[in-house]
Amino acid sequence: MSDNELSFEEAMAQLEKIVEKLETGDVPLEKAIDYYQDGMKLSKLCNVKLIHVEEKMTKIMNEQGELEPFHIQEEE
């Protein structure tokens, strides 16, 4: 399954597994770099999916007569 075929939830689950592996600190440097690169790709994919959801929600709200753009509240 390619990254583009992953759902948001699947990408987040994979990202969480990578973070857990990196947090253990028990990963060889070369593997840690691979995990980090994979994590960055997954993070970007999740961000793109959220942007698409935001655009769809704005369109739905505009069709209902709402003029204010819809923004997803990110966790801090």
Side-chain angles (χ1 to χ4, degrees):
M1 181 180 296
S2 74
D3 285 348
N4 291 335
E5 295 173 356
L6 290 175
S7 70
F8 176 80
E9 292 78 10
E10 291 167 332
M12 282 300 296
Q14 286 186 19
L15 187 55
E16 288 172 5
K17 287 179 185 175
I18 288 172
V19 169
E20 287 174 12
K21 289 176 184 175
L22 290 173
E23 285 181 341
T24 66
D26 197 22
V27 179
L29 180 60
E30 292 81 12
K31 194 66 178 167
I33 291 169
D34 289 341
Y35 284 147
Y36 181 79
Q37 288 176 327
D38 290 345
M40 292 304 293
K41 288 179 192 173
L42 289 165
S43 176
K44 183 177 180 181
L45 176 67
C46 288
N47 188 48
V48 167
K49 288 185 180 286
L50 285 175
I51 289 169
H52 287 302
V53 168
E54 185 175 342
E55 289 170 355
K56 285 181 185 177
M57 292 303 297
T58 298
K59 183 178 181 213
I60 290 168
M61 292 177 76
N62 284 340
E63 288 173 357
Q64 299 300 318
E66 180 67 42
L67 299 176
E68 294 296 318
F70 178 82
H71 294 287
I72 296 173
Q73 189 72 23
E74 293 185 22
E75 292 182 27
E76 293 186 22

